[in-house]
Amino acid sequence: MQLRADAARLRRRLIAASCALLTTSAARSEEAANPGVAGALTDWLLESALAYYHEDGRIQAIEPVVNVSKNYGDGGTLGLNLTFDSLSGSSPNGALPSRSPQTFASPSGKSLILSKHTYTTAPGDLPVDPHYHDQRFALGVDWTLPLTRLTRASFGGKLSYEDDFLSSSLSASIAHDFNEKNTTVLFGINDENDSLHPIGGAPVPLSDYELFEKTDHKSKNGTGLLLSVTQIMTRTWLAEFNVSLDRFSGYLNDPYKIISVIDASGNDVGYVYENRPDTRTRRSAYLENRVGWERASAALSLRYMTDTWGVHSDTVQLHLRWWNTERNKYLEPTVRWYRQTAADFYTPWIGDSVSPNEAYASADSRLGGFHALTYGVKYGIKLDDKLNREAAEINIRVEYYEQTVDHGLPGAGALQGLDLYPRLNAVLLQIGFDY
Amino acid sequence: MQLRRRWVFMIITGAALASGCTSVGVRPWQRDVLSRQDMQLNGNSIDDAIDDHLYFSKEASSGGRSFAGGGCGCN
């Protein structure tokens, strides 16, 4: 009797175990047949952001960006980038503030009298074109494929379109790992071709603003070389050192920038269009170090750049990131310091007694000497447990940018007391989502 | 004699540098921290692209981390 009862218990347990195994197998089969969205997109990464940029009293921009990439597991990747910019507001035209009202025509104008879109700047104010509006669509593709276990090749293409500007570029690079993949050397080349169709035409350099001497479309071309060495220093320290060289030639003027012509008393007597050299060669050296701790990391980058226009610049940027104990939220403050010297031909104004023929001149403040500070903070929340994706994250970023002119040439006569070099303040607000 | 000293100095310096280079780096199983997303050189590609575009449109410098071209008519 006892043996019969034990045999019955054993049979029931075997049946229960068999059912459990069958149920598990069926569930796994169903999962394999229908892995769900997260499972199907295991090798894909989506990064997206919506940025809003606002300058104090000048332009504002909205910029949505989407990056989609696929990792093929063998070291190969395919990436697609889509960017859209919409800019509007007031853009400085290069002229100086004045004691009297100044009237300008928008770029599409043919005459200061007949133009539909003229604007008048009040005495003491920086002349800005209040009708500035532009939109940009950009599409980029990057493809990396392994050539050997230690060598990879990458190819990229980018197309960017605006109403008055079309840019296309192609790039290629090859990277090789050494020293048990602790050292990577990369060499890359980039070729960019830009076509400019300025609204109203491309002005004749140094021509009188009121004569509206303009020509047809222009172009510029650039080639860039990049040599990069990445070195793993320790278990928590990674360093990258880049040197780059690029040369642009063609129409390098900003077709919308003018220069005030000032007499000996400091009064404006007219304007001329700017004239920049038609070639520019830039060299830069870039060093980045990343250090990681258990719940923090830091990235410090240094850049030195110099070019044949006489601009020298230094950039220092620091990112710090702190994770919470659960490692599902982080805070990332950022600070960036930048300084540049003025281009050799930068001049805030031209004297009326100076003949500007065959000289280079630009009053574009971006070619002047200044320093800039950026302060920012980013806050991110990982959503990996909610969305079952390791990369899933939502984040918000705020940055404040401040640009201050260094050693601005003091104005004489009527220019005294005017704010010739107003500070630029801007705020960037960005919301991002990764999946 | 002067030439020999120079050679000795160069060999010692080269050996010191070489020994320094071989001491850096990690074994494959020591890459736990380096594999984290916040330790990737292009780990914030969208932030970098937006910042680069902002700085390209406001300053005379660009590139360094990558190629210097902008693909933008803003500067």
Side-chain angles (χ1 to χ4, degrees), chain A residues 176-366:
Chain A
H176 187 77
D177 298 325
F178 299 90
N179 186 23
E180 295 186 328
K181 294 193 174 183
N182 282 294
T183 307
T184 302
V185 177
L186 178 146
F187 175 73
I189 185 166
N190 183 66
D191 185 69
E192 179 176 326
N193 294 284
D194 299 339
S195 178
L196 295 85
H197 300 264
I199 297 166
V204 174
L206 296 177
S207 63
D208 189 331
Y209 174 69
E210 293 190 14
L211 297 179
F212 289 84
E213 288 182 273
K214 299 192 177 182
T215 58
D216 205 357
H217 72 277
K218 299 287 184 181
S219 65
K220 63 178 177 183
N221 305 299
T223 302
L225 302 173
L226 175 70
L227 180 64
S228 170
V229 179
T230 305
Q231 176 66 50
I232 292 174
M233 307 299 286
T234 70
R235 191 170 184 166
T236 58
W237 178 18
L238 176 69
E240 180 189 43
F241 180 67
N242 298 346
V243 287
S244 63
L245 171 73
D246 72 276
R247 184 177 190 276
F248 273 80
S249 60
Y251 186 80
L252 302 181
N253 293 332
D254 185 325
Y256 308 124
K257 296 292 186 197
I258 58 176
I259 311 170
S260 293
V261 181
I262 303 294
D263 66 14
S265 306
N267 295 306
D268 55 276
V269 294
Y271 315 93
V272 294
Y273 281 101
E274 69 165 29
N275 183 29
R276 305 182 188 188
D278 57 7
T279 60
R280 184 185 192 186
T281 302
R282 279 184 284 207
R283 299 176 187 84
S284 71
Y286 176 83
L287 174 66
E288 179 172 338
N289 281 280
R290 281 184 182 256
V291 181
W293 297 276
E294 187 180 351
R295 290 199 294 119
S297 62
L300 174 68
S301 63
L302 312 169
R303 179 184 66 177
Y304 174 72
M305 194 222 71
T306 181
D307 70 10
T308 51
W309 286 3
V311 177
H312 306 273
S313 73
D314 305 288
T315 312
V316 182
Q317 184 158 17
L318 176 67
H319 290 275
L320 296 171
R321 180 179 286 200
W322 282 284
W323 292 90
N324 63 347
T325 313
E326 293 77 25
R327 215 176 161 76
N328 56 11
K329 293 172 187 167
Y330 66 83
L331 193 68
E332 185 176 309
T334 303
V335 61
R336 176 184 184 266
W337 175 84
Y338 173 82
R339 178 184 63 185
Q340 73 174 48
T341 61
D344 297 334
F345 53 87
Y346 170 76
T347 177
W349 66 83
I350 289 178
D352 66 341
S353 58
V354 177
S355 172
N357 290 337
E358 298 181 13
Y360 298 119
S362 173
D364 189 340
S365 60
R366 297 172 297 185

Side-chain angles (χ1 to χ4, degrees), chain A residues 83-124:
Chain A
T83 305
F84 173 70
D85 288 329
S86 178
L87 293 92
S88 59
S90 304
S91 178
N93 64 14
L96 282 182
S98 172
R99 293 282 173 196
S100 53
Q102 301 180 82
T103 299
F104 305 93
S106 288
S108 58
K110 303 290 181 193
S111 157
L112 275 176
I113 299 167
L114 301 176
S115 178
K116 288 180 183 175
H117 297 292
T118 59
Y119 56 95
T120 300
T121 302

Side-chain angles (χ1 to χ4, degrees), chain A residues 157-160 165-170 191-195, chain B residues 71:
Chain A
K158 193 173 179 184
L159 201 63
S160 179
F165 186 80
L166 177 65
S167 171
S168 61
S169 64
L170 292 172
D191 185 69
E192 179 176 326
N193 294 284
D194 299 339
S195 178

Side-chain angles (χ1 to χ4, degrees), chain A residues 55 85 160 162 180 182 233 235 280 290 293 297 303 313 327 336 338 340 366 374 378 397 401 430, chain B residues 25-27 30-32 36 38 47 51 53-55 57-61 63-64 68-69 71 73-74:
Chain A
E55 287 179 5
D85 288 329
S160 179
E162 298 165 51
E180 295 186 328
N182 282 294
M233 307 299 286
R235 191 170 184 166
R280 184 185 192 186
R290 281 184 182 256
W293 297 276
S297 62
R303 179 184 66 177
S313 73
R327 215 176 161 76
R336 176 184 184 266
Y338 173 82
Q340 73 174 48
R366 297 172 297 185
T374 307
K378 182 177 180 181
R397 189 165 74 107
Y401 178 75
Q430 179 186 317
Chain B
V26 297
R27 309 297 291 175
Q30 295 177 315
R31 296 177 183 241
D32 50 339
R36 283 179 358 206
D38 59 336
D47 296 358
D51 283 348
H53 186 213
L54 160 64
Y55 298 133
S57 67
K58 298 295 159 199
E59 299 170 351
S61 307
C74 50

Side-chain angles (χ1 to χ4, degrees), chain B residues 44-57:
Chain B
N44 288 321
S45 59
I46 284 203
D47 296 358
D48 292 342
I50 289 173
D51 283 348
D52 286 348
H53 186 213
L54 160 64
Y55 298 133
F56 175 81
S57 67

